[in-house]
Amino acid sequence: MFERLAKSGQEFAEQTKEHIAEYADAGLRTLVIAYREIDEQEYVEFNEQFTEAKNLVSADREEMIEEVAGKIERDLILLGATAVEDKLQNGVPECIDKLAQAGIKIWVLTGDKMETAINIGFACSLLRQGMKQIVINPETPENKALEKSDDKSAAAAAFKASVLQQIAEGKRLLSSSTKNSEAVALIVDGKSLTYALEDDVKDNFLELAIGCASVICCRSSPKQKALVTRLVKSKSGSTTLAIGDGANDVGMLQEADIGVGISGVEGMQAVMSSDIAIAQFRFLERLLLVHGHWCYRRISSMICYFFYKNIAFGFTIFFYEIYASFSGQAVYNDWFLSLYNVFFTSLPVIALGVFDQDVSSRLCLKFPPLYQEGIQNVLFSWLRILAWLFNGVLSATIIFFFCIRAMQHQAFRKGGEVVGLEILGATMYTCVVWVVNCQMALSISYFTYIQHLFIWGGIVFWYIFLIAYGAMEPDISTSAYQVFIEACAPSGLYWLLTLLVLIASLLPYFAYSAIQMRFFPLYHQMIQWIRSDGQTDDPEYCHIVRQRSLSHTTVGYTARFEAKSKSSKERARDH
């Protein structure tokens, strides 16, 4: 506003700036008011141009609107300034602290003055006493003098040079602070963002911002909020979540990977433009730390298990083809092949993807670092995927060779006859269904009635199908005709072999899981361990578990408390 004042309208500009600074230091939100009288002809011309600019559908629509508005928003006369108290919602500092512990990088993009934004940063514990601050603000006396002159290009060049210099100095300070493990905050004003987001500067700016513990962009316009979000999303490769409650946050919400709108007194524009709507900021902690963690675990486990069960099934067919010298003879009945992923093994995986919980919601909120497993991609890394693929190949190998070696020359019927291809196929298929479903039962951490129904029901349904399908005429059931009633069910070898194959196939996974849980537990397994021991309310145990966090917490009141404790210990040691 001060830049748009007429020379004759700046009579109380300095006093108003002092008042605004006082208001901002008190944490109030300020608003400058100015006016200009225009005649009817000027308004008509402006309205025509403004309407034309708003109706454009080209990429430069926003620039045209700003250009037209700038023609009338000039030579204003200052009236004064207002200040209103805008308190943080309940639970905001606690929510930000938990998000910081979860390893989420928090940026504040606000239209408030720098002083107000800094006060909000201290209130949220994004800033703390003794924390180094990199402030990028190019408004030096020399630059202000250039800005008042008529040479706008020289002023712009000076501002840009100042921003580049401050970014370079900030990177040097950040480098030295990183060696000393000190947290650094970056504070940028809107005018600096204008130049920091230019093509030849934005990479350096992003490198500096990513290295800082917290970033506060103040006096930023809606377009700048969207551009900063786009820069982080496209250049860093990270998943971005934007949360806002007003119309000026719409661009940012639409630009981010996930947009969360807060419904409230600011209207419904943010909610209508977002992917998810919540009523208060503090609900974000449950959305991310509970449902976000569960969703990541469920999806990653479901995909890995799909790979496992199909490889365990497919490799038995492949091994038989090798055994049969690639004759093309299928070891399984056609309907066995068709229904494997439809009825016998798919429903338990779907139940896993919907209901499974490794840790309860209470413990998810109590141990926010658990969310870091998703950020670090612990549960869906290539190592974990390859481990499940290996487990599938191992299960298929055990199933095939156990069945072949046990049944090849062994009397199967009462009359001493050995098995035929149809009996071998039914027996191997039974072993596959048992193994993959029991493997699912070992993998699940949270059982529900539906999961019990799908897992054990899938096995029971296989036997029902085998009996019903085998009872049909040979023209329909082909190789499955009476194979269970007449051959498999009366034979003790069939049941004994199924049990031995099941134990042998699951034993490697069971041994690996037991060793990992005992000696190399993941973060969620440590929480499961103290939960089973009943130590979830023991402060000492909880502190030990939190110390095993994958990344160090640098902001939030927990980090502020740790920093204060550390400095107190250092002073005590020095004395």
Side-chain angles (χ1 to χ4, degrees), residues 88-125:
L88 293 174
Q89 292 181 356
N90 293 332
V92 171
E94 293 81 2
C95 177
I96 287 179
D97 180 65
K98 288 185 178 181
L99 296 181
Q101 290 184 58
I104 298 173
K105 193 72 172 292
I106 301 170
W107 291 33
V108 177
L109 308 178
T110 177
D112 292 333
K113 283 180 60 65
M114 182 175 290
E115 295 83 0
T116 306
I118 290 174
N119 280 329
I120 293 173
F122 278 107
C124 297
S125 294

Side-chain angles (χ1 to χ4, degrees), residues 158-394:
F159 273 116
K160 185 174 182 178
S162 177
V163 170
L164 282 169
Q165 180 184 357
Q166 291 180 65
I167 290 176
E169 292 174 355
K171 291 173 71 173
R172 286 193 292 269
L173 176 61
L174 179 63
S175 178
S176 62
S177 300
T178 303
K179 295 177 182 178
N180 300 326
S181 301
E182 294 178 344
V184 179
L186 176 64
I187 302 169
V188 190
D189 72 338
K191 187 169 290 186
S192 302
L193 271 180
T194 303
Y195 302 101
L197 294 174
E198 292 185 358
D199 291 338
D200 56 339
V201 185
K202 61 183 181 182
D203 289 338
N204 289 330
F205 169 69
L206 182 63
E207 183 181 352
L208 171 63
I210 288 177
C212 294
S214 58
V215 179
I216 299 176
C217 300
C218 47
R219 275 293 182 222
S220 51
S221 65
K223 182 179 179 181
Q224 287 176 328
K225 293 181 181 181
L227 290 175
V228 170
T229 307
R230 181 187 299 176
L231 176 64
V232 175
K233 182 177 72 171
S234 61
K235 295 291 185 179
S236 68
S238 302
T239 302
T240 57
L241 180 146
I243 179 168
D245 63 350
N248 56 348
D249 299 316
V250 168
M252 174 180 67
L253 295 173
Q254 292 179 336
E255 193 65 51
D257 294 302
I258 305 128
V260 179
I262 302 177
S263 57
V265 296
E266 299 260 355
M268 296 296 291
Q269 293 94 330
V271 169
M272 298 297 292
S273 304
S274 62
D275 303 301
I276 301 169
I278 58 178
Q280 295 184 35
F281 183 90
R282 61 188 177 92
F283 297 157
L284 188 63
E285 69 179 42
R286 187 172 183 86
L287 176 67
L288 292 178
L289 303 186
V290 178
H291 299 287
H293 170 72
W294 284 348
C295 187
Y296 167 73
R297 172 179 171 79
R298 290 165 179 170
I299 292 176
S300 59
S301 299
M302 184 178 69
I303 293 174
C304 289
Y305 189 79
F306 259 114
F307 280 121
Y308 161 78
K309 76 182 186 67
N310 285 295
I311 285 177
F313 179 62
F315 265 76
T316 58
I317 301 173
F318 177 69
F319 287 145
Y320 180 78
E321 290 302 320
I322 297 176
Y323 178 77
S325 301
F326 294 98
S327 64
Q329 174 66 53
V331 67
Y332 300 129
N333 183 279
D334 291 343
W335 278 103
F336 294 179
L337 294 171
S338 300
L339 298 181
Y340 177 78
N341 274 320
V342 179
F343 293 115
F344 305 134
T345 60
S346 62
L347 293 179
V349 192
I350 295 173
L352 169 71
V354 175
F355 298 108
D356 194 36
Q357 301 175 14
D358 56 342
V359 175
S360 67
S361 60
R362 183 179 69 87
L363 294 179
C364 284
L365 294 174
K366 188 170 185 176
F367 297 96
L370 179 64
Y371 187 81
Q372 294 179 18
E373 287 189 339
I375 296 176
Q376 303 290 336
N377 203 22
V378 172
L379 302 181
F380 200 56
S381 62
W382 276 110
L383 180 62
R384 187 175 175 85
I385 294 173
L386 292 175
W388 274 101
L389 299 184
F390 174 76
N391 189 25
V393 174
L394 182 62

Side-chain angles (χ1 to χ4, degrees), residues 452-467:
H452 279 296
L453 175 65
F454 286 168
I455 291 174
W456 312 120
I459 298 173
V460 172
F461 183 71
W462 155 243
Y463 288 112
I464 295 173
F465 169 79
L466 193 57
I467 295 171

